[in-house]
Amino acid sequence: MLKRLLPLILLTTTMAAQSFQLEETTIAKTQAALTSHKTTCRQLTQAYLTRIAHYDPTLNTVVTLNPQALADADALDKEFAQTHKLRPLQGIVVMVKDNYDTKDLQTTGGSLAMKGFIPTEDAFMVAKLRAAGAIIIAKSNMAEWAFSPYLTESSIAGITRNPYDPTRVPAGSSGGTGASVAANLAEVGLGTDTGNSIRGPASHNDLVGIRPTIGLTSRAGIIPLSFTNDVGGPLARTVADAAAVLAAVQGYDPADPITKLSEGKAPKDYTASLDPKGLKGARIGVVRKYIETPTTDPEIKALTEKAIADLKSQGAEIIDNFTLPDLDRGPQKPTCGGFEYDLNQYLAAHPNAPCKTLAEIIDSGLYLGSIADRLKHAALPAAEATTAHCPDTYHDPRKIAFRDAITQSMDAQHLDALIYPTWSNPPRKVGDLKSPAGDNSQIISPMTGFPAITVPMGFTVNQTLPAGLTFVGRSFSEPELIKLAYAYEQATHHRQPPPQFPKLH
């Protein structure tokens, strides 16, 4: 796919001023360069296209380039020349996961069965990005139908690789977004998270990832995996950048009524939370369950203990250990539509989609052989296929009980947040599905709707493979979590770019 699009890329364009460093830039630095005329939106966009052309054949993060990206950049440059003002994300180049609707770009969910499908409208979050002045440069590869937290592989684009070691995985399912942002193929990105899929790629790619409170960002226009747990959010190289993107994409959307809950609970921006002394006086609970597992990698454990010490040194009070309540998983037999119902609802809202139901997708045979059984098992008997979707996070009795139990325990101990290693093991080798995985993200946030932020906490395996630390808080506590994560980030500065993908000359 990318090779066919390379003629669209003008490889000879360079940055106007060599003093502007594209690699590892931040939103603040990029916009300062724009206002001081050290660069333009077009030059920024071209520079990222050039990096994609040079480096993406190794990583395979891109499914579809945006052929209008340079034209979009030109329009933003013209606007700035007239207004002398920048919108919140003007000129910021964004990679968008391929399960977000984009009205001008193919949207496939990673499946060949959806090849060529172009929605008629943007997903709500994508529309908010564009309104903020962001430039969508491409759609990123993902685990097909967002099924895998371990591997980013799709029938539409193949396997995405980890920029810190291309023989390893970037986690799933938002691994294409994660790997591209880590390798500076885009400035920031959008992912989705059902059980892991923002936080896992953040941990494996030395990034900051925010899984927002369910209800803070709209799911409208996102191909679903499990509407009860799905949520979209940012992947970025810094806490400040992730917070800026979150501020731009959040908000009430009538097409996703659960977002009504966010009204009055979310600030317009999070800059007030970017306090380098934000850990002073904070009370943080350690979920030691995710540190002391028999298969936890010793280096991950050591990094986590060092992170705890770093939090203490910045003035946090550590409560060790926070014991999780039991989660009653309930009956195993499906009693609601689940993936099939949610996907069929999405497809019904998109009459131009090439397949109209999960059954048609299965019949097409256009999917990875490795997910065939899961697709078929997701197909409910005809009598159940049209039942209502599963109860959402705020109406499922067992999730309510679990959330209330955690909240009550946090309240009793006066805790501001919980922490644990995002993954207890380093990224696996591509093709390895047997060694310990170590995903710790599937329970607390998905089963409560609570927000969580993953921040880099160092490297393992001869200082080559990233690891992440997760902060979890109560519903709509993003400002507090951003404050804690930012203070930790500023005290430690663990983010490092992947050495194999340096600045181009």
Side-chain angles (χ1 to χ4, degrees), residues 216-234:
L216 185 66
T217 57
S218 171
R219 285 86 52 88
I222 300 175
I223 298 174
L225 173 57
S226 173
F227 206 62
T228 65
N229 291 352
D230 292 344
V231 68

Side-chain angles (χ1 to χ4, degrees), residues 410-451:
M410 289 181 69
D411 289 349
Q413 299 177 67
H414 306 288
L415 298 180
D416 297 297
L418 307 176
I419 60 164
Y420 53 87
T422 309
W423 282 61
S424 293
N425 299 84
R428 285 169 163 172
K429 293 277 190 179
V430 173
D432 174 14
L433 294 176
K434 294 183 178 180
S435 65
D439 175 11
N440 296 323
S441 298
Q442 300 288 337
I443 301 298
I444 301 179
S445 288
M447 297 302 165
T448 59
F450 287 165

Side-chain angles (χ1 to χ4, degrees), residues 29-68:
K29 289 178 181 178
T30 297
Q31 293 203 315
L34 288 168
T35 56
S36 63
H37 304 289
K38 291 182 179 179
T39 190
T40 65
C41 295
R42 167 174 270 270
Q43 289 161 350
L44 286 166
T45 303
Q46 183 60 68
Y48 282 112
L49 287 170
T50 300
R51 284 188 63 84
I52 289 171
H54 188 82
Y55 285 132
D56 201 60
T58 299
L59 295 174
N60 195 36
T61 69
V62 171
V63 178
T64 305
L65 283 173
N66 179 6
Q68 295 299 313

Side-chain angles (χ1 to χ4, degrees), residues 19 35 230 248 250 269 457 463 498:
S19 60
T35 56
D230 292 344
Q250 69 181 13
D269 69 69
M457 72 169 180
Q463 295 295 302

Side-chain angles (χ1 to χ4, degrees), residues 33-335:
L34 288 168
T35 56
S36 63
H37 304 289
K38 291 182 179 179
T39 190
T40 65
C41 295
R42 167 174 270 270
Q43 289 161 350
L44 286 166
T45 303
Q46 183 60 68
Y48 282 112
L49 287 170
T50 300
R51 284 188 63 84
I52 289 171
H54 188 82
Y55 285 132
D56 201 60
T58 299
L59 295 174
N60 195 36
T61 69
V62 171
V63 178
T64 305
L65 283 173
N66 179 6
Q68 295 299 313
L70 290 172
D72 293 343
D74 287 341
L76 291 167
D77 283 330
K78 182 178 180 180
E79 176 185 308
F80 178 60
Q82 294 171 341
T83 66
H84 306 290
K85 294 180 180 179
L86 293 177
R87 298 189 233 171
L89 296 180
Q90 190 153 337
I92 304 306
V93 172
V94 183
M95 187 74 67
V96 174
K97 186 176 179 180
D98 196 28
N99 57 353
Y100 282 84
D101 284 356
T102 42
K103 63 184 178 183
D104 49 1
L105 293 171
Q106 176 179 265
T107 300
T108 72
S111 178
L112 273 173
M114 298 287 280
K115 184 178 180 179
F117 167 54
I118 299 178
T120 58
E121 296 181 356
D122 283 332
F124 181 83
M125 289 175 65
V126 172
K128 295 273 280 185
L129 273 181
R130 294 195 207 256
I135 299 164
I136 310 300
I137 199 161
K139 302 294 286 293
S140 57
N141 196 26
M142 58 181 285
E144 189 159 353
W145 299 114
F147 278 175
S148 177
Y150 308 116
L151 174 69
T152 296
E153 182 180 15
S154 68
S155 60
I156 199 78
I159 294 173
T160 296
R161 296 176 180 273
N162 190 310
Y164 290 88
D165 179 351
T167 70
R168 294 180 184 264
V169 300
S173 63
S174 307
T177 299
S180 64
V181 174
N184 290 276
L185 307 186
E187 187 155 345
V188 293
L190 283 186
T192 60
D193 192 311
T194 305
N196 153 87
S197 296
I198 289 173
R199 295 158 294 155
S203 179
H204 277 21
N205 293 279
D206 208 33
L207 298 174
V208 176
I210 301 180
R211 176 192 163 98
T213 304
I214 291 182
L216 185 66
T217 57
S218 171
R219 285 86 52 88
I222 300 175
I223 298 174
L225 173 57
S226 173
F227 206 62
T228 65
N229 291 352
D230 292 344
V231 68
L235 284 148
R237 293 185 294 269
T238 67
V239 174
D241 282 3
V245 175
L246 182 64
V249 300
Q250 69 181 13
Y252 172 57
D253 176 13
D256 186 4
I258 204 169
T259 55
K260 186 75 173 175
L261 295 172
S262 69
E263 292 192 322
K265 298 177 183 176
K268 291 183 179 179
D269 69 69
Y270 295 100
T271 57
S273 298
L274 301 175
D275 180 1
K277 297 182 179 179
L279 283 163
K280 189 173 182 179
R283 288 176 58 85
I284 298 175
V286 177
V287 184
R288 195 152 285 278
K289 172 182 178 179
Y290 294 136
I291 305 171
E292 303 294 348
T293 66
T295 57
T296 295
D297 182 83
E299 289 189 271
I300 299 285
K301 182 175 180 180
L303 287 178
T304 308
E305 298 295 354
K306 179 62 168 61
I308 293 169
D310 288 336
L311 295 171
K312 285 182 180 179
S313 73
Q314 295 301 306
E317 186 174 353
I318 302 298
I319 290 76
D320 190 353
N321 157 44
F322 182 88
T323 303
L324 289 177
D326 291 332
L327 170 64
D328 178 8
R329 295 183 178 276
Q332 297 300 307
K333 184 179 178 181
T335 57

Side-chain angles (χ1 to χ4, degrees), residues 19 134 144 195 264 355 460 469:
S19 60
E144 189 159 353
C355 292
T460 66
L469 180 71

